[in-house]
Amino acid sequence: FSQPPTSASPSRWRLMPPVQASSSVLAAVFCLLRHKPVIESFWQKSALALVSVLLKMCPGRVITKLLSSGEKEVDLAVQSAKAAFKIWSQMSGMERSRVLLEAARIIREQREEIATLETINNGKSIFEARVDIDISWQCLEYYAGLAGSLAGEHIQLPGGSFGYTRREPLGVCAGIGAWNYPFQVACWKAAPALACGNAMVFKPSPFTPLTVVRLAEIFTEAGVPKGLFNVVQGGAATGQFLCHHPDVAKISFTGSVPTGIKIMGMAAKGIKPVTLELGGKSPLIIFSDCALENAVNGALMANFLTQGEVCCNGTRVFVERKILDVFTKEVVKRTQKIKIGDPLLEDTRMGALINRPHLDRVQGFIKQAKEQGAEVLCGGDVYVPDDPKLKNGYYMQPCVLGNCTDDMTCVKEEIFGPVMSILPFDTEEEVVERANNTKFGLAGGVFTRDIQKAHRVVAALKAGMCFINNYNISPVELPFGGYKASGFGRENGRAAMEYYSQLKTVCVEMGDVESVF
């Protein structure tokens, strides 16, 4: 938590103040890099099991253990946030803006430290982690700019009477993050929530619990009221306590469809609004009139960022038959050159997958694809780096599958790994119909020089985020979210402010009251 310890807490289980928490996390990192023993950080008392954090590139080496937050700890976090909300919500938008700008400045100045911690936290390359941190501080800056713009409208009524609307904060919001972009997702949720005057209790994935703690400390350093942004650790049980808490006004979740369904059900019992950013199986359509090099670059970006563990990835790559061979040949050649290995090295472009069960799951999809008739054009095997310290890592070679058909499991289900499926098509009408033939609707993309065709196709795609002649870029100015089973609500852009606020209508009578009684 980002609040001081209470006198009622036994010293061993005391809630750490920000400086102590930071020391624990950084000490764990330094311990890892120097191959020292495990560090245990007792942040809060709990009857639940310990959550072990393993280094993804050197599995089996525990860098720290965090206690899962139980029902009492979640309640303490919510009550702390509720108290901070009373202060924060009464501040002007410009006052909140200055605090968010200060938080952005701290993140920007500590970019390298936070990116290194994120790489250790998640396993992605340091190159990508730096981009994530840049997007994070940009997100805070963007919403700092919008914080002072929250406003209602004036409506003139007959006889000099009038009405007006007020856009007001919701209260304590719950944020539940994913393990693929731990720090960035936390910023995407916290920035608009805090800009609107809310407080937030955030639960990161138990697989990536570290960097969001640093974010909480940064908010405290920037000047938010104590407890405005609290962090609870744990798995499903902790999330359930948070979702069921009567003082939580809204839930924002990023993760899988099955978990999203459960969260929606829990929110329904309390009539709480939810934002759900769930999975995807997005189409990337490559027309024969595209700029081939750009299309190849786009396909690589659409499939292999963060080891392919990206919800909006364009993993169904539809290629017009006229250029199928030349496109496939170039994609395979480029994929085979991707540097895999130690994610802390500057030239590494693909790090380790999140954990062993997930690596096994991705391998299972590839095995099933081959059984169903797909051809492995390159990659797909477990990768063993030359560095002996990494020999047991959760690495795999990025995979390109050919000879795919729409009914294959690898084409229908979200793999969430570095696996691209290439499918040929002949006509625009055909590919649009096939692209939409999915339960998901998170993203989609098209590469073509024909701008009319590009706009026509994206208009027909049933997806919330579409790209023309690019893929997987994340400007914080643009709303992000899905259709269908990929969820609802929006993150980023001005639209997100509507999901972290509520509208009050006020009717003012300037004359006498007429009664029918």
Side-chain angles (χ1 to χ4, degrees):
F1 298 114
S2 57
Q3 69 170 35
T6 61
S7 58
S9 302
S11 59
R12 187 184 178 208
W13 300 101
R14 207 163 273 196
L15 300 178
M16 296 288 190
V19 174
Q20 289 174 281
S22 179
S23 299
S24 299
V25 173
L26 294 178
V29 174
F30 294 144
C31 161
L32 169 69
L33 296 177
R34 298 170 185 169
H35 308 290
K36 295 288 182 66
V38 172
I39 290 178
E40 293 186 341
S41 301
F42 298 102
W43 291 348
Q44 54 194 12
K45 188 175 181 180
S46 175
L48 299 181
L50 286 171
V51 179
S52 297
V53 184
L54 307 181
L55 177 62
K56 310 308 179 296
M57 59 182 173
C58 210
R61 185 178 295 278
V62 180
I63 62 173
T64 188
K65 291 183 178 180
L66 308 178
L67 288 168
S68 295
S69 302
E71 188 171 8
K72 291 183 179 179
E73 291 72 43
V74 170
D75 180 63
L76 179 59
V78 173
Q79 296 307 323
S80 170
K82 187 177 177 181
F85 168 73
K86 293 179 180 179
I87 302 170
W88 184 250
S89 61
Q90 293 304 307
M91 295 169 64
S92 71
M94 289 299 292
E95 290 174 312
R96 295 197 294 267
S97 174
R98 284 192 288 270
V99 176
L100 292 176
L101 286 173
E102 177 63 11
R105 183 195 64 78
I106 295 171
I107 294 171
R108 188 167 58 249
E109 290 186 355
Q110 298 182 8
R111 173 185 190 245
E112 196 64 22
E113 174 190 332
I114 300 170
T116 300
L117 187 57
E118 188 74 314
T119 293
I120 294 170
N121 193 36
N122 167 272
K124 68 174 63 184
S125 71
I126 186 68
F127 178 85
E128 281 194 49
R130 291 189 186 110
V131 176
D132 293 356
I133 304 310
D134 286 341
I135 291 173
S136 298
W137 66 254
Q138 289 166 12
C139 183
L140 289 174
E141 278 195 349
Y142 176 74
Y143 284 106
L146 291 181
S149 70
L150 281 178
E153 62 177 341
H154 177 276
I155 301 98
Q156 190 65 46
L157 299 175
S161 297
F162 62 93
Y164 63 92
T165 59
R166 291 169 48 92
R167 189 155 287 280
E168 300 180 342
L170 297 167
V172 178
C173 300
I176 302 177
W179 46 257
N180 55 345
Y181 288 89
F183 194 86
Q184 181 180 307
V185 166
C187 288
W188 278 17
K189 296 183 187 303
L194 270 56
C196 290
N198 300 288
M200 177 166 277
V201 178
F202 193 89
K203 189 196 83 66
S205 165
F207 300 130
T208 53
L210 297 182
T211 47
V212 71
V213 175
R214 183 67 194 116
L215 179 62
E217 296 163 359
I218 288 170
F219 279 133
T220 301
E221 293 167 20
V224 305
K226 297 285 187 180
L228 188 76
F229 182 86
N230 282 333
V231 177
V232 293
Q233 302 282 4
T238 305
Q240 289 171 5
F241 294 140
L242 194 55
C243 292
H244 283 304
H245 198 288
D247 288 328
V248 167
K250 182 232 169 51
I251 304 165
S252 179
F253 169 74
T254 298
S256 70
V257 173
T259 304
I261 292 171
K262 294 176 182 177
I263 287 176
M264 192 172 175
M266 288 185 281
K269 293 180 180 178
I271 320 295
K272 300 176 183 180
V274 293
T275 294
L276 298 177
E277 198 278 278
L278 308 178
K281 193 69 182 178
S282 302
L284 176 59
I285 302 171
I286 312 295
F287 285 100
S288 60
D289 62 351
C290 69
L292 185 63
E293 184 177 357
N294 284 341
V296 170
N297 287 339
L300 297 174
M301 292 290 287
N303 282 270
F304 300 136
L305 287 175
T306 310
Q307 301 77 248
E309 299 162 326
V310 182
C311 54
C312 57
N313 270 358
T315 52
R316 293 184 295 146
V317 181
F318 293 95
V319 183
E320 193 165 1
R321 202 177 300 273
K322 295 177 185 177
I323 61 167
L324 177 64
D325 291 341
V326 64
F327 175 87
T328 302
K329 181 180 178 181
E330 189 63 24
V331 162
V332 169
K333 182 175 73 174
R334 293 280 300 279
T335 301
Q336 290 172 326
K337 293 181 179 179
I338 294 174
K339 175 70 181 299
I340 314 167
D342 185 342
L344 289 172
L345 297 180
E346 292 294 336
D347 61 345
T348 297
R349 288 299 177 267
M350 184 171 288
L353 274 69
I354 192 67
N355 53 37
R356 173 63 63 182
H358 187 62
L359 174 61
D360 293 342
R361 179 178 181 273
V362 174
Q363 290 289 300
F365 274 109
I366 295 173
K367 178 182 178 182
Q368 187 177 28
K370 290 190 287 187
E371 293 171 350
Q372 293 178 348
E375 179 185 358
V376 176
L377 303 178
C378 71
D381 295 325
V382 171
Y383 178 78
V384 181
D386 295 332
D387 187 338
K389 295 192 299 295
L390 309 178
K391 66 179 182 179
N392 295 319
Y394 311 134
Y395 296 97
M396 67 168 284
Q397 298 170 333
C399 179
V400 178
L401 297 175
N403 198 37
C404 296
T405 57
D406 294 354
D407 59 346
M408 291 180 177
T409 303
C410 65
V411 176
K412 294 192 298 182
E413 298 298 326
E414 184 177 36
I415 298 175
F416 220 63
V419 182
M420 177 194 303
S421 299
I422 296 179
L423 305 106
F425 75 91
D426 294 300
T427 68
E428 177 184 329
E429 182 180 9
E430 167 211 340
V431 75
V432 168
E433 182 178 355
R434 292 169 63 192
N436 287 331
N437 186 24
T438 173
K439 63 183 177 182
F440 299 108
L442 188 52
V446 55
F447 276 83
T448 176
R449 285 191 175 95
D450 185 338
I451 198 65
Q452 290 180 320
K453 178 163 59 179
H455 286 293
R456 190 167 60 238
V457 169
V458 297
L461 290 178
K462 294 181 173 62
M465 182 73 188
C466 291
F467 302 91
I468 294 176
N469 293 331
N470 208 332
Y471 206 93
N472 264 351
I473 56 173
S474 304
V476 296
E477 303 93 329
L478 299 182
F480 180 84
Y483 289 4
K484 299 190 285 187
S486 292
F488 51 80
R490 291 296 179 267
E491 296 187 309
N492 292 343
R494 184 178 290 272
M497 304 285 275
E498 298 179 8
Y499 294 95
Y500 284 102
S501 61
Q502 53 194 344
L503 202 62
K504 175 179 287 181
T505 300
V506 180
C507 182
V508 181
E509 176 60 60
M510 297 299 289
D512 295 329
V513 176
E514 295 184 5
S515 174
V516 298
F517 301 106

